[in-house]
Amino acid sequence: FRHLLLFSDHGRIEELVREAGRFDPHQPLPIIAIPTAAAMAWCLEQRAAGYAGVLVNPGEDAVLISLEQLAAFHAEWLTRGARHASGFWIPHLTDEEEDFWQENGL
């Protein structure tokens, strides 16, 4: 299955490139950054191209999210008003972790 690679920040990309032995501090990394809301929509559009999911922060603490999971979250986010500053999604939380984040307004 084909998956899209996403990184939570510039440092995660740099870390992966460094671990691969390909980091050159004199060459800028070809990074394209887009807002999270736009990234969700773009990722979902990639189903037509045969992608099955998103691999976030490849490496030791990677998270694999199916596009079905992302679509469900995106629909719920839109239903809640699509507020850009209303929190974020952490996949694969335990029930206790989920309760904590819900109680704290996320």
Side-chain angles (χ1 to χ4, degrees), residues 35-80:
T36 302
M40 282 192 291
W42 183 83
C43 288
L44 292 172
E45 291 171 2
Q46 302 315 302
R47 284 189 281 194
Y51 287 91
V54 178
L55 180 60
V56 181
N57 294 329
E60 199 172 300
D61 57 347
V63 175
L64 187 62
I65 303 165
S66 73
L67 289 184
E68 287 76 26
Q69 289 173 302
L70 184 60
F73 172 79
H74 191 250
E76 182 182 321
W77 177 73
L78 290 172
T79 301
R80 290 190 322 259

Side-chain angles (χ1 to χ4, degrees), residues 10-61:
H10 181 271
R12 297 287 190 140
I13 299 170
E14 207 171 89
E15 180 181 306
L16 183 70
V17 173
R18 192 180 312 276
E19 287 175 7
R22 300 184 183 271
F23 184 73
D24 180 352
H26 304 297
Q27 294 292 324
L29 292 172
I31 297 170
I32 298 171
I34 61 174
T36 302
M40 282 192 291
W42 183 83
C43 288
L44 292 172
E45 291 171 2
Q46 302 315 302
R47 284 189 281 194
Y51 287 91
V54 178
L55 180 60
V56 181
N57 294 329
E60 199 172 300
D61 57 347

